[in-house]
Amino acid sequence: MKKLTTPLTKEKVRELHAGDTVLLSGTIYTARDAAHKRIVELLDKGEPLPLDLKDAVIYYVGPTPAPPGRVIGSAGPTTSGRMDAYAPRLIAEGETGMIGKGLRTDAVVQAMQEHTAVYFAATGGAGALLSSRILEAEVIAWEDLGTEALRRLKVQDLPLTVVIDCAGHDLYKEAPLQYKKG
Amino acid sequence: MRNIQAEQITEVVKRLCIKANIDLNPPVEEAIRKARETEASPVGREILDQLLENAALAREQNLPICQDTGLAVVFVEIGQDVHVEGSLEEAIHEGVRQGYTEGYLRKSVVRDPIDRVNTKDNTPAIIHYEIVPGDQLKITVAPKGIGSENMSRIYMLKPAQGIEGIEQAVLETVALAGPNACPPMVIGVGVGGNFEKCAYLAKKALLREVGQYSEKPFWAEEEKTLLEKANGTGIGPQGFGGTTTALWLAIETYPTHIGGMPVAVNINCHVARHESEVL
């Protein structure tokens, strides 16, 4: 497994290939559809963002509430397709990494190729395991969104798989063909 | 007539919400363990290992298995000789409210599909009642995540499409679900009835324990065939390619109209939560 740290520069992105497994460490952000919508609204208005998108990694997750003594609850990925309407805009603004699960549209893949970004999958339904790799969590904007608020996380060895790389190779399309019967 | 207090029902629903979300159903865990032995893809085996590790961690640390702790779907089988002291419906919602709050579960319900304001306590539950003989009350809580629910489908087939049509519908749904439904999946299929009965049958099929075939021999055979075909799609764990696309497939059927053959496919993820208690 490849070790990877944030910030995720475009040089690092170019070295990642669909099918690679990586352990990601450093600072990442959480956002789902509602927070993405607000980010795009701010960009449209030319107002400052609560996070710096340059070389940033966004994890699509809505965690469960943190029980006493923990920094965060269960924290696995949500379906990425719901962010597809917004992702190309964020990628154009400097976002280099997305973490989620499930299929992406062609528009997202094109933006990734054009601006050098990567799409990782975390294991869907492994929320307790992924939570154990999160060392710090802090809401940095939009607390009113509850689980969907924008958070800054510090992660250590978050296990991920590269699904779509910046050359446009897609593990979801290519790998199942090897195991298909009939 | 046997009296049951509403408060007792609240207590049971609360307990079941928490247990279902934290403690992976043993037959599901066993199915993952078995799949780990036969999975052909190395990445697929790695994912199945993560799922087993996740289940153990969730239990040990009292954390939800998955952060999408779902809509609370509650099935109530109420004996016709039972009388509930107080409001049965309110008792169930209260149980969900307490379970999701005290269990640190995620509240994922919005009060209206368009204004999307969170109700902040995961109510209302989705409740299905069935009246049965006797004086007992059985409650099943089946929290259902939206990732897999969003990939579910219903088909109004023509009778001439026969069993091939049913297989096509199921396999098309599985293919379209792909990685979005967090495979390995558990697949619930409803065949017959009408539009809403068929969807209900598909959901009921998900309540059957993993490993338990239909009592109808023809349909038990079809469950085996379809499970094998689903695993032949190559989608594999998390859609990364492999031989374990589904852990289980259950079919529930009901008589239907001479002119129709509804088929509903309710996809569940590998967490496949459901817990029951009898009062």
Side-chain angles (χ1 to χ4, degrees), chain B residues 126-203:
Chain B
I126 292 175
I127 310 172
H128 301 291
Y129 297 101
E130 244 175 79
I131 311 283
V132 296
D135 64 356
Q136 292 188 321
L137 193 141
K138 182 180 177 188
I139 299 175
T140 301
V141 176
K144 184 71 166 71
I146 202 73
S148 55
E149 194 75 356
N150 278 340
M151 306 318 289
S152 303
R153 296 168 79 84
I154 189 156
Y155 298 77
M156 302 306 283
L157 299 183
K158 295 179 178 69
Q161 288 173 274
I163 195 75
E164 293 79 14
I166 295 170
E167 290 188 3
Q168 247 173 32
V170 172
L171 295 172
E172 178 180 76
T173 304
V174 169
L176 288 170
N180 289 26
C182 293
M185 316 167 188
V186 174
I187 304 165
V189 182
V191 182
N194 61 357
F195 186 77
E196 86 280 4
K197 178 74 178 180
C198 189
Y200 178 70
L201 290 172
K203 181 72 78 190

Side-chain angles (χ1 to χ4, degrees), chain A:
Chain A
M1 270 195 184
K2 207 177 269 187
K3 292 252 188 184
L4 197 61
T5 52
T6 60
L8 186 61
T9 59
K10 294 189 194 270
E11 289 70 40
K12 291 179 192 170
V13 171
R14 285 192 200 97
E15 283 167 24
L16 298 170
H17 304 285
D20 289 352
T21 48
V22 305
L23 294 172
L24 180 71
S25 300
T27 297
I28 63 173
Y29 299 91
T30 75
R32 289 170 47 112
D33 347 7
H36 273 75
K37 188 164 180 250
R38 291 190 186 181
I39 290 172
V40 169
E41 282 166 3
L42 289 176
L43 287 170
D44 284 343
K45 286 190 265 182
E47 287 176 16
L49 300 182
L51 79 168
D52 182 4
L53 283 174
K54 186 177 158 25
D55 297 339
V57 177
I58 296 185
Y59 184 14
Y60 304 151
V61 57
T64 59
R70 289 193 73 93
V71 299
I72 199 165
S74 188
T78 192
T79 311
S80 306
R82 293 197 321 277
M83 271 53 75
D84 284 358
Y86 313 106
R89 185 73 188 277
L90 274 66
I91 293 168
E93 296 289 334
E95 179 192 27
T96 50
M98 299 163 281
I99 306 171
K101 55 137 175 142
L103 306 166
R104 308 309 302 263
T105 56
D106 292 342
V108 175
V109 181
Q110 272 168 25
M112 290 168 60
Q113 289 178 262
E114 195 179 327
H115 299 282
T116 315
V118 63
Y119 172 47
F120 302 101
T123 298
L129 174 65
L130 291 159
S131 171
S132 72
R133 308 294 170 90
I134 299 170
L135 308 180
E136 293 170 20
E138 184 194 357
V139 172
I140 57 168
W142 307 319
E143 193 140 26
D144 62 299
L145 294 179
T147 183
E148 299 202 57
L150 188 67
R151 288 177 174 78
R152 182 166 46 224
L153 305 183
K154 192 174 162 200
V155 298
Q156 178 78 46
D157 292 336
L158 197 67
L160 306 173
T161 303
V162 177
V163 175
I164 306 176
D165 60 30
C166 65
H169 292 295
D170 187 339
L171 185 69
Y172 288 146
K173 286 188 182 147
E174 293 161 18
L177 298 176
Q178 294 175 45
Y179 297 96
K180 194 173 161 63
K181 286 179 194 150

Side-chain angles (χ1 to χ4, degrees), chain A residues 32 62-68 70 74 76-77 79 101-103 121 123-129 147 161 171-172 175-176 179-181, chain B residues 40-42 47 50-51 53-54 57-58 61 63-67 69 104-107 147 179-180 182 232-234 238-242 270:
Chain A
R32 289 170 47 112
T64 59
R70 289 193 73 93
S74 188
T79 311
K101 55 137 175 142
L103 306 166
T123 298
L129 174 65
T147 183
T161 303
L171 185 69
Y172 288 146
Y179 297 96
K180 194 173 161 63
K181 286 179 194 150
Chain B
S41 145
I47 296 298
Q50 282 189 20
L51 298 184
E53 188 187 345
N54 184 66
L57 260 178
Q61 305 195 354
L63 271 185
I65 304 159
C66 174
Q67 76 291 335
T69 51
Y104 294 92
L105 307 178
R106 198 177 82 182
K107 290 82 181 169
N180 289 26
C182 293
T233 58
Q238 297 294 306
F240 298 156
H270 54 82

Side-chain angles (χ1 to χ4, degrees), chain B residues 241-279:
Chain B
T243 51
T244 316
T245 299
L247 294 171
W248 194 247
L249 182 143
I251 305 174
E252 293 291 337
T253 66
Y254 195 79
T256 188
H257 191 282
I258 49 173
M261 193 171 69
V263 177
V265 189
N266 197 188
I267 303 283
N268 207 351
C269 62
H270 54 82
V271 184
R273 293 162 281 211
H274 56 89
E275 288 292 336
S276 303
E277 262 187 56
V278 177
L279 277 171

